[in-house]
Amino acid sequence: MFDTRLVAVLSVLIATCLGGPVCADEEGFLVFSVAGDATIDDLAMAAGEHVGQNARISVPAGGEVTLFGPSGKVVVKAGYSGLLTASKAPAAPPANPAVTPSLWRFVLSTIAFAGNRGTEADDVVSGWAFRIDTPGKKCRVAERPASIGVPTILVGRLAFVREVASGRQAMVALRAPEADWPASLPLGRSSTYESVISGLGKRVRFQLVEIAGAPTLSDQLLRRLAETGCNEQLLQFGAAAPADVVLGDGR
């Protein structure tokens, strides 16, 4: 699971990134997701890869690439072939100025792509809707209702969730992309649960952790998620964040 030594190192590095004028790889891009046979400088691209500002990207028909760079979140549409430096001229004003682009790139690179990228993020309705079919830490904001994220493949199934400490359990019908946490199960500041979902034939243990602060996306929130080790939610927020720059598709 998440190494506490890595948390300590990460905390120092993030603090340096927030406090200094330049972060590591300030002028580079992090490849967040790749659909199709996209290439960078004629080589196949992969999620988690770092590429330079002067790289040439090519996205064929049916593909799409998402990166995080100095201009924020960059989406490259099918049919685009050219330099990533074009992203220095945003197609629209930044839609989410509360998040520093360099921190997005740094946190996703250090946590979400460091050994355990986790499951795909774009099949869950929101960053706060945590999955119960995968192990690990899930975060929820204090005094905010807990919500279960249901990927498409699990819609229509039943989930049986048990709090390990008390032994209390409840059944949840996974009828939609998001389901309410069962009211009969207690929500502490940090509790461990086990889930069994019909048709999967496996038992999954996860930890639900309460974090303080506003639920709106910000540098501060990303830092809390990273320090807590809620990797899947970092990916979900990254996937859901609005694009600051769009390349291709007539632009």
Side-chain angles (χ1 to χ4, degrees), residues 85-155:
T85 48
S87 68
K88 287 184 176 179
N96 198 356
V99 177
T100 306
S102 58
L103 185 66
W104 257 126
R105 191 169 65 256
F106 179 80
V107 169
L108 291 171
S109 176
T110 306
I111 297 295
F113 297 99
N116 179 19
R117 185 177 189 273
T119 53
E120 291 301 318
D122 55 1
D123 197 24
V124 174
V125 69
S126 81
W128 292 119
F130 53 85
R131 292 179 62 163
I132 62 173
D133 62 311
T134 56
K137 288 186 177 179
K138 324 287 179 173
C139 284
R140 69 180 185 87
V141 176
E143 300 180 1
R144 180 185 175 94
S147 180
I148 298 170
V150 185
T152 303
I153 194 173
L154 298 183
V155 173

